[in-house]
Amino acid sequence: MPENIAFLDSNSEITLFTREKIMNVIVNGDLVLFSFSQIGDFVSIKLDRVITPFDRVIIEGEKEKYKVFPGHILLNGNYDTDEKLGNFLSYNSTTFKVWAPGPQRIFVEIFSMDDLEKSVYDLVMENDKAGVWMASIKKQLYGYAYRYRIERYDEIIYTHDPYGKACTLNSEFSYIIDFEKIRNKDLAINYGPHLKSPLEAIIYEAHIDDLTHSWTSGTKVYGKYDSLQNGTRTPLNSLSGIDYLKKLGITHIHLMPVQDFSNDEISEDYNWGYDPSLYNVPEGIYSNNPRDPEKRILELKGLINKLHENEIGVILDVVYNHTFQTEESCFQKLVPYYYYRLTQNREFSNGSGCGNEIATERYMVRKFIIDSLKHWINDYNVDGFRFDLMGLMGTNTMKIIEEELRKIKKNIFLYGEPWTAGSTTMQDRVFFKGEQKGTGIAVFNDDLRNALKGYLDDYSKGFVTGEKDRELEVAKGIVGEINYSRVIRGFSTEPNEVINYCSCHDNMTLWDKVLKSTPHMYFEEHKKRAALAISIVLTSQGIPFLHSGSEMLRTKALEENSYNSGHFINELNYLRKDFYEDYFRYISGLIQLRKNESLFKLKTSLEIRKRLSIIHAADGKIVYIIRGKDHEILIIHNSTNGEYNIEQSGNWRIVAQDFKVDMNGLKFETGKINCYPVSTTIGIKNI
């Protein structure tokens, strides 16, 4: 952050970080009387007159001059507004509105798409008392590009519009669009699966490039919105694309970020997308023509529509906790230091690990995020959101988001990471595990993840890889992290607050972690241990979440963080599905079993305590029964290398065992059930 900056904290108080003596304060060119006091490394200045954030204030020290920007004065509520912001079209006019209280003048420069060098219209914006700048022209400018020109303290700054819903190549200009006309170009709006409860969902996390870039995917074009389509086949004539997802049986695809991020959109560079730039615009690198602002919109809407036609819901991975750029971001250019949290030393807080944090607790920041989320629901018909580093979003903000979005879509999916990447100066409670209780928001269950396979990327082991004394930790995940008993007590109130998983895009794949932590085992045992982890996820109470490719033993060559490892490491090799067909059939069979069995989707903690009984949780084995009205399900997870026999009265139809699933029964056993080593056994008994 530049050193020569001061902050207007009230209508007569200024704070700056310096130890030098203050000589003059100049407001709009006039000297004003003041007093000041030194408080450590800060100087507090008291003026003899009332000023506003729109006044141009210069402070002269003995050696330096300081520019004054609005500080805490913007937090007093007087500059909050519910005004709709962005560009707006009518049949004979175009209007622009942007929130930017500060000592500046703002202009709208409007360009023809045929010439982005010279503007065709320059509009002067006028501001209201809340800091909303507005300009209007009596022309319908659909299809034109624009940007804002800010003149502040003898500096000229250009920026795109953070509220804009379309942009030119690489986010250089915003683009004037009419979403009503875009809608008219669409097919009829389709909806994803109609689930009675979020617990019926089976979420599949995927990256567009990963799913479609490999030559094995059989797609016509690689790494594009259009690449995910019906009718694609692998070189071995197996299903790929949407047909593959349908065969696997998942209900929702969680798309890694498709909001516009900072990159070269005509390059072949690989990017996970956690470098956000324009939050209301689809990313152009996945478009067949990123130079056409409408093309990317139609292609993404078409993909969502196609997934919905195939009864697959769409969840967007959203990154509102930070921006890729800080000083050069549109937020910082428009309202310096408002959108970002600062430390006591006026440095940018870095709880994201990416250089900044969005100050979600501030009214206009929170309004921006909620308006943006509503845009993705209303204009793209998405079914939910996964929040990156949700801890940094804050508890109050997340509760308001949940309340506002359910007014639009009652069954919206909301979940995220209940942690931060570092310390934060947030003026709100961090949304850690436990904060989700009673909110209708779910959190990732990293406790179960670690209990199953060990800690992330090291050599540590978990339950499925032979570590002792992890049974009770796994049992907490099996019951949905509720307060189940005096011994088994988790962080949730109800099972719909928990996302159970054993791997995701971060860190090693499940297969790589198993290989690293158990290097001396045989290949077949590695397969069984990976399968055991997924079988526990798919038979636990809560919402199951699968990392794309985990059903085909996906590898990233032991890469721990593949965000910049390129396509070769990250892309899905669909031939692995053919090579490990038995593994794929097992996972897809478990998915179908879960979809068919309501007892794996108990809706309340009361029902779980009533119907689910843990019989054994020790010695590398976990055994439990779930009792329904007309049948019971017995589940045995055996992580040991020995067979295990358990006596249970009645006639049992064994539907899953030793890497196989058959709804009609692999075999039938009476009185005693034999369990294979490193395997999940599931039996059903009618009562």
Side-chain angles (χ1 to χ4, degrees):
M1 178 181 294
E3 295 181 358
N4 295 359
I5 286 177
F7 292 92
L8 180 63
D9 290 331
S10 76
N11 290 112
S12 60
E13 295 175 310
I14 298 170
T15 302
L16 65 156
F17 190 71
T18 186
R19 283 187 171 275
E20 74 168 316
K21 184 178 180 181
I22 304 305
M23 308 302 293
N24 295 305
V25 176
I26 304 169
V27 178
N28 299 327
D30 298 327
L31 288 171
V32 300
L33 296 176
F34 67 94
S35 60
F36 74 93
S37 56
Q38 188 80 44
I39 306 172
D41 291 329
F42 292 89
V43 172
S44 179
I45 298 174
K46 179 73 173 177
L47 305 181
D48 75 335
R49 69 169 66 178
V50 171
I51 61 174
T52 75
F54 306 99
D55 290 314
R56 188 175 187 274
V57 183
I58 298 289
I59 298 172
E60 295 180 338
E62 290 179 303
K63 298 179 180 179
E64 302 287 349
K65 290 184 178 181
Y66 302 86
K67 304 170 184 176
V68 177
F69 293 91
H72 287 127
I73 193 171
L74 295 184
L75 307 182
N76 63 17
N78 292 332
Y79 303 94
D80 298 339
T81 178
D82 293 321
E83 190 88 27
K84 290 185 177 181
L85 304 169
N87 67 78
F88 306 94
L89 291 169
S90 70
Y91 75 96
N92 66 349
S93 68
T94 306
T95 300
F96 304 85
K97 293 183 180 181
V98 65
W99 183 76
Q104 58 218 7
R105 300 172 67 207
I106 303 182
F107 305 83
V108 188
E109 297 183 347
I110 301 168
F111 300 80
S112 165
M113 287 294 292
D114 296 327
D115 184 2
L116 295 175
E117 296 292 328
K118 185 177 181 181
S119 59
V120 292
Y121 304 106
D122 280 41
L123 309 182
V124 180
M125 305 191 83
E126 301 291 336
N127 67 285
D128 65 14
K129 62 181 181 181
V132 175
W133 297 76
M134 185 184 78
S136 189
I137 184 172
K138 290 185 177 180
K139 291 180 181 292
Q140 220 269 20
L141 296 178
Y142 181 2
Y144 283 74
Y146 71 100
R147 67 182 177 186
Y148 293 125
R149 184 176 82 244
I150 306 160
E151 297 181 359
R152 180 194 301 131
Y153 288 118
D154 303 321
E155 184 180 10
I156 297 177
I157 303 164
Y158 297 98
T159 182
H160 48 219
D161 184 357
Y163 306 97
K165 297 178 180 179
C167 70
T168 63
L169 183 70
N170 295 335
S171 323
E172 185 177 2
F173 296 87
S174 295
Y175 177 84
I176 302 168
I177 195 168
D178 185 343
F179 257 87
E180 290 303 318
K181 292 184 179 180
I182 289 289
R183 282 193 189 94
N184 292 338
K185 294 179 182 179
D186 280 347
L187 300 172
I189 292 295
N190 290 300
Y191 295 92
H194 295 280
L195 306 183
K196 296 178 182 178
S197 161
L199 296 163
E200 295 181 356
I202 298 170
I203 300 171
Y204 188 80
E205 181 199 43
H207 184 282
I208 286 177
D209 241 355
D210 295 0
L211 281 179
T212 63
H213 198 277
S214 169
W215 66 276
T216 66
S217 67
T219 59
K220 297 176 182 177
V221 291
Y222 295 154
K224 305 299 180 184
Y225 297 118
D226 285 350
S227 302
L228 267 178
Q229 53 192 291
N230 298 92
T232 56
R233 295 261 177 179
T234 73
L236 296 181
N237 204 34
S238 294
L239 299 175
S240 62
I242 290 178
D243 294 332
Y244 171 81
L245 298 177
K246 284 183 68 177
K247 184 176 181 180
L248 180 59
I250 53 99
T251 66
H252 288 74
I253 186 169
H254 156 155
L255 290 177
M256 288 173 64
V258 295
Q259 290 174 314
D260 176 67
F261 47 85
S262 296
N263 66 326
D264 181 356
E265 293 179 330
I266 58 174
S267 75
E268 287 293 319
D269 293 344
Y270 183 83
N271 195 315
W272 270 353
Y274 295 100
D275 305 330
S277 179
L278 281 171
Y279 285 99
N280 296 331
V281 182
E283 169 54 35
I285 202 168
Y286 303 131
S287 172
N288 290 313
N289 184 6
R291 290 182 172 85
D292 183 341
E294 294 186 29
K295 187 73 172 174
R296 64 179 75 186
I297 295 171
L298 290 170
E299 288 171 342
L300 177 55
K301 287 166 73 71
L303 170 59
I304 294 169
N305 213 41
K306 180 69 72 173
L307 287 162
H308 282 169
E309 284 179 2
N310 287 272
E311 296 187 350
I312 297 173
V314 179
I315 296 168
L316 297 189
D317 193 333
V318 291
V319 192
Y320 292 103
N321 65 81
H322 75 278
T323 56
F324 176 68
Q325 295 178 315
T326 306
E327 294 286 2
E328 291 301 311
S329 79
C330 54
F331 296 126
Q332 179 68 1
K333 287 179 177 179
L334 285 165
V335 195
Y337 312 108
Y338 175 82
Y339 282 89
Y340 298 99
R341 297 181 186 125
L342 302 177
T343 67
Q344 287 186 342
N345 293 332
R346 293 299 199 262
E347 296 174 347
F348 291 106
S349 184
N350 190 24
S352 68
C354 299
N356 62 66
E357 304 170 33
I358 293 290
T360 58
E361 63 271 29
R362 296 179 180 174
Y363 187 88
M364 293 303 292
V365 181
R366 183 181 289 166
K367 169 182 161 53
F368 173 84
I369 293 170
I370 292 172
D371 287 348
S372 176
L373 292 167
K374 288 179 177 179
H375 160 63
W376 289 104
I377 297 173
N378 292 328
D379 291 323
Y380 289 85
N381 196 29
V382 302
D383 303 286
F385 302 99
R386 175 268 193 189
F387 292 86
D388 182 64
L389 293 181
M390 188 169 64
L392 290 173
M393 297 293 291
T395 299
N396 291 325
T397 294
M398 286 308 305
K399 287 180 177 179
I400 294 171
I401 285 173
E402 191 269 344
E403 180 182 344
E404 288 295 313
L405 297 192
R406 291 208 194 280
K407 293 177 183 177
I408 304 173
K409 204 166 199 173
K410 186 174 290 186
N411 61 346
I412 192 82
F413 268 92
L414 301 173
Y415 62 93
E417 298 175 307
W419 51 72
T420 70
S423 60
T424 175
T425 59
M426 174 169 43
Q427 301 299 305
D428 189 2
R429 291 204 314 275
V430 177
F431 202 100
F432 286 140
K433 282 178 297 189
E435 295 293 331
Q436 87 288 350
K437 291 181 179 180
T439 63
I441 301 168
V443 297
F444 281 102
N445 188 357
D446 59 327
D447 290 350
L448 178 62
R449 177 199 68 191
N450 296 338
L452 287 175
K453 63 177 187 176
Y455 295 102
L456 297 178
D457 305 317
D458 60 16
Y459 291 95
S460 64
K461 299 178 182 179
F463 174 77
V464 304
T465 42
E467 180 71 16
K468 296 180 179 179
D469 302 324
R470 305 302 290 269
E471 293 84 2
L472 288 179
E473 295 173 59
V474 174
K476 291 179 183 178
I478 287 172
V479 301
E481 295 291 341
I482 66 167
N483 289 339
Y484 175 79
S485 68
R486 292 180 62 185
V487 176
I488 300 174
R489 302 176 68 84
F491 56 80
S492 75
T493 302
E494 301 296 341
N496 65 352
E497 299 170 355
V498 175
I499 302 289
N500 287 322
Y501 75 119
C502 56
S503 63
C504 67
H505 70 276
D506 281 320
N507 310 106
M508 286 184 174
T509 67
L510 171 62
W511 178 241
D512 287 347
K513 172 62 178 175
V514 169
L515 290 178
K516 183 172 182 176
S517 59
T518 57
H520 303 300
M521 291 181 181
Y522 291 110
F523 179 80
E524 285 301 317
E525 186 173 345
H526 282 137
K527 280 174 64 177
K528 290 182 178 181
R529 293 192 179 276
L532 180 59
I534 295 180
S535 69
I536 292 172
V537 167
L538 289 172
T539 55
S540 294
Q541 304 299 319
I543 303 169
F545 172 104
L546 301 175
H547 178 218
S548 57
S550 58
E551 74 285 356
M552 62 173 83
L553 301 178
R554 181 181 184 177
T555 180
K556 293 185 182 179
L558 300 184
E559 281 277 0
E560 298 178 3
N561 188 5
S562 64
Y563 77 98
N564 63 351
S565 299
H567 298 101
F568 181 73
I569 292 294
N570 285 286
E571 66 188 16
L572 276 183
N573 181 346
Y574 283 88
L575 297 184
R576 293 181 73 89
K577 181 262 181 185
D578 297 301
F579 296 156
Y580 309 120
E581 181 70 21
D582 56 343
Y583 188 91
F584 174 85
R585 287 183 183 275
Y586 178 66
I587 303 304
S588 60
L590 288 175
I591 289 173
Q592 193 59 50
L593 176 61
R594 181 182 180 92
K595 291 168 79 171
N596 290 346
E597 271 299 339
S598 61
L599 293 181
F600 288 127
K601 300 165 284 194
L602 299 177
K603 294 182 174 60
T604 67
S605 56
L606 180 64
E607 202 173 5
I608 293 171
R609 285 188 288 267
K610 177 183 177 182
R611 297 189 179 278
L612 192 153
S613 298
I614 295 178
I615 299 171
H616 182 87
D619 309 317
K621 297 174 281 290
I622 302 173
V623 184
Y624 56 102
I625 290 180
I626 314 174
R627 297 179 175 86
K629 294 179 180 179
D630 58 2
H631 70 290
E632 296 179 352
I633 302 179
L634 173 69
I635 302 101
I636 305 159
H637 301 302
N638 180 13
S639 69
T640 73
N641 286 313
E643 291 191 2
Y644 178 57
N645 296 319
I646 181 169
E647 294 185 0
Q648 284 292 317
S649 62
N651 300 316
W652 294 90
R653 171 167 48 100
I654 306 303
V655 297
Q657 190 175 59
D658 193 33
F659 229 43
K660 301 177 184 68
V661 178
D662 187 335
M663 309 296 286
N664 296 319
L666 296 164
K667 60 182 179 180
F668 295 84
E669 296 191 349
T670 301
K672 185 172 72 172
I673 297 175
N674 173 253
C675 310
Y676 288 81
V678 192
S679 177
T680 292
T681 296
I682 303 174
I684 298 177
K685 179 179 73 173
N686 294 328
I687 55 176

